[in-house]
Amino acid sequence: MTIRLSTGLRNAIAGVQGFAGAMNTGVIDIYSGAQPLTADSAVAGTLLGTVTIAGGAFTPGSPTNGLVLAAAADGAVSKAASLWQFTGVAVGTAGWFRFRGNAADAGGVSTSLASMDGSIASSGGDMNLGNLSITIGSPNTVDAFSFAVPAQ
């Protein structure tokens, strides 16, 4: 597992905003290729799709179609009962994701924006997808998501 938190997200978790406050109504971008060394780094690879509610259009700064997180329980937060979906915008093999908060983010270097990177696999990844081969126009779903703060 290779979850990496940006400096902006670590500051939010350590401060009053928390993980859900920083990430609620954000989106998950799916990329091909290798994951960057840090979540503060510029994105790498080809953008294959952006996960939103029901695959709807998203505008940074607006909550419309941003991903909604359920209330925290037992030190963890998970996706709310809604359809998290993306449609392929390019052809490629899903390799990693960036979950970014609801702020303007061109995928560049940032130590202030909240984001979380992780690996994608068919099993054993930070995000598991049933089909890693993404094609243009193909619908894909994220059926489960959770982020837990360890007790120790």
Side-chain angles (χ1 to χ4, degrees):
M1 302 274 233
T2 52
I3 289 290
R4 297 182 179 130
L5 307 180
S6 69
T7 302
L9 181 54
R10 291 184 297 118
N11 288 341
I13 291 169
V16 298
Q17 192 174 23
F19 181 86
M23 304 308 285
N24 220 8
T25 71
V27 296
I28 299 174
D29 293 324
I30 307 292
Y31 291 94
S32 66
Q35 182 178 341
L37 293 176
T38 75
D40 292 330
S41 301
V43 298
T46 300
L47 176 65
L48 301 176
T50 299
V51 181
T52 62
I53 296 294
F58 174 78
T59 301
S62 168
T64 303
N65 297 321
L67 303 175
V68 179
L69 299 168
D74 296 323
V77 64
S78 60
K79 73 185 270 304
S82 56
L83 177 63
W84 288 20
Q85 184 177 32
F86 72 96
T87 300
V89 296
V91 175
T93 302
W96 70 281
F97 69 89
R98 178 164 285 172
F99 186 179
R100 55 186 172 95
N102 189 338
D105 180 3
V109 175
S110 174
T111 58
S112 61
L113 295 174
S115 64
M116 177 176 81
D117 293 355
S119 65
I120 297 177
S122 55
S123 66
D126 299 311
M127 174 187 289
N128 297 322
L129 294 178
N131 181 14
L132 300 179
S133 297
I134 309 303
T135 58
I136 296 171
S138 65
N140 301 273
T141 61
V142 175
D143 299 323
F145 172 85
S146 66
F147 177 82
V149 177
Q152 298 182 10

